[in-house]
Amino acid sequence: MKRILTYGTFDLLHFGHIEILRRAKELGDYLIVALSTDEFNATKGKKAYHNYETRKKMLEAIRYVDLVIPEENWEQKINDVKEYKADVVVMGSDWADSDRFDYLKEYCNLIFLPRTEGISTSKIKEDLKLQNPVNGVDQIPNPDSEN
């Protein structure tokens, strides 16, 4: 069985996410998604719209995804590859020109998949902001908030 491992925040799930998961799954038999936790996102200066548990449930509902695990730090990738016996780590092509993940090549294949053209979470957020400006602040309610 060929195991594929990929990483991401997967917030505001969209067609680009589905496409990268589909293409990753085509590379093997079993797709593991390491999902960035809210705490890890905070260390990266990112804030997801949906909390970790909601994003995890959304990913688990996608037929291409076999297992969702937490991504809690940058350094866990080698341990993930070993623990889950990953044959391939898939990253977005925006990392292709970086040597940041070259160390993984000693443990598995490293494949960079291109992003789906014309769509991204950042673009969706920007488009929504342009459609719903109120003093420059998005006024779309967050379903995961306590309010």
Side-chain angles (χ1 to χ4, degrees):
M1 176 184 299
K2 191 171 184 183
R3 293 173 176 259
I4 311 302
L5 174 61
T6 193
Y7 292 81
T9 299
F10 296 96
D11 192 27
L12 300 182
L13 198 61
H14 55 70
F15 181 68
H17 291 136
I18 301 299
E19 278 296 285
I20 203 153
L21 294 169
R22 180 187 62 77
R23 289 182 287 152
K25 179 67 178 243
E26 286 178 348
L27 297 170
D29 306 298
Y30 192 83
L31 178 60
I32 304 154
V33 178
L35 179 64
S36 298
T37 63
D38 298 330
E39 296 78 14
F40 182 43
N41 277 338
T43 69
K44 298 186 285 184
K46 291 175 80 173
K47 169 118 176 65
Y49 181 77
H50 293 289
N51 65 31
Y52 174 83
E53 286 303 320
T54 299
R55 291 181 288 118
K56 183 175 188 276
K57 287 177 186 174
M58 290 190 299
L59 283 173
E60 289 171 339
I62 297 169
R63 68 180 179 181
Y64 308 116
V65 177
D66 295 296
L67 178 66
V68 179
I69 62 171
E71 180 187 24
E72 299 173 314
N73 59 66
W74 289 111
E75 294 78 28
Q76 77 181 64
K77 288 179 176 54
I78 290 175
N79 288 336
D80 291 345
V81 168
K82 290 177 180 178
E83 181 176 346
Y84 296 98
K85 299 175 178 56
D87 301 291
V88 177
V89 169
V90 171
M91 303 296 289
S93 60
D94 47 329
W95 292 103
D97 293 332
S98 167
D99 59 359
R100 181 173 193 147
F101 302 109
D102 283 354
Y103 67 94
L104 291 171
K105 293 176 183 176
E106 185 178 331
Y107 302 92
C108 63
N109 290 325
L110 183 59
I111 296 177
F112 298 97
L113 292 179
R115 304 281 181 179
T116 303
E117 201 168 316
I119 188 152
S120 70
T121 301
S122 299
K123 181 177 180 346
I124 290 170
K125 287 179 180 178
E126 187 59 34
D127 288 351
L128 289 172
K129 195 179 293 183
L130 291 173
Q131 292 174 10
N132 301 297
V134 176
N135 297 326
V137 178
D138 269 345
Q139 296 299 308
I140 301 168
N142 183 334
D144 298 325
S145 70
E146 302 276 327
N147 300 340

